[in-house]
Amino acid sequence: MSRPTGSERMLRPVGDEPGELLHVAIIMDGNGRWAKQRGLPRAFGHRAGVAALRRTVEGAEALNVERLTVFGFSTENWSRPESEVSEILGLMKAYFASDLARLARDGVKVRIIGRREGLAPDILAIVEEAEARTAMNDRFHLQVAFNYGGRADITDAARRFAERVARGEACPQDLTEQLFEQQLSTAPAAAPDLVIRTGYERRLSNFLLWECAYAELIFQDVHWPDYGPEHLRAAIQEFQSRERRFGRVAVDDVLAAG
Ligand code: FPP
């Protein structure tokens, strides 16, 4: 894919040509600081974060993104104060209670990635209902990383393969990258093309570590509660101006070398 110039840099529909943007992943950061700046408890930041999520999901659907993965709650987030953990869990339940009918009606397939073991029955019920009610959809894919950590997911994948070996169903030499990634909780979805992080930090924070190997990273200096379709559109425009080489050399350099 060569670097677009001039008018080609304008946003165009995505997802219908090879090399175009299919999968966007977002680290929604800055809820707490947004609230603090306003002299509000952190819970208000998370509540405003759900509204931003709703706007952004609708924006991604309108921009012809095929799949959106958001980092809702990490395996490390359990170490936050109990009141904050229960606020976030409550918001996730409330989000699906209020939005699931719309998502199901509009062809959105919901998938929750991350560890399910040990989740409270009410959370598990929400997760299973969201997936079951949208299972037949495929217009747009919404993946919510919940109780998710990249290292935990890779470790679980390794354990699953080791268990297959122990049962005599596979040999260590069978293991390839393709086979390994089939064990990840994101399988069989393609890896993200673009990872966006809000909230003024420049790190991945254990998000989709395996899957992000060749993702374009874009950091947007906005707290998550202020995020919306216009920010997503700007990130996609920046993505479209980049050349993805996947470890190869640029097309222009190949031509110049004869
Ligand atoms: C990061 O901000 C945000 C989170 C850890 C939670 C994100 C949760 C939501 C948007 C609401 C519920 C989720 C779903 C999927 C409906 P932070 O608290 O780390 O902010 P800070 O870095 O400013 O403290």
Side-chain angles (χ1 to χ4, degrees), residues 25-46:
I26 306 184
I27 302 172
M28 311 180 286
D29 193 23
N31 293 351
R33 280 162 289 159
W34 181 93
K36 191 173 179 191
Q37 281 174 355
R38 287 159 180 76
L40 297 167
R42 291 175 60 82
F44 283 73
H46 295 312

Side-chain angles (χ1 to χ4, degrees), residues 28-34 42 46 49-50 53 70-73 77 80 84 88 91-92 95-96 144 201 223-224:
M28 311 180 286
D29 193 23
N31 293 351
R33 280 162 289 159
W34 181 93
R42 291 175 60 82
H46 295 312
V50 175
L53 174 64
V70 293
F71 206 176
F73 191 81
N77 286 155
R80 293 189 176 205
E84 182 165 342
I88 296 174
L91 285 172
M92 181 163 118
Y95 172 72
F96 283 119
V144 179
E201 311 286 4
H223 288 312
W224 177 251

Side-chain angles (χ1 to χ4, degrees), residues 131-154:
E131 291 187 337
R133 274 182 72 182
T134 62
M136 303 308 285
N137 290 343
D138 72 348
R139 188 185 63 79
F140 178 80
H141 295 250
L142 173 62
Q143 296 196 134
V144 179
F146 179 78
N147 194 26
Y148 176 87
R151 289 179 176 178
D153 209 44
I154 292 169

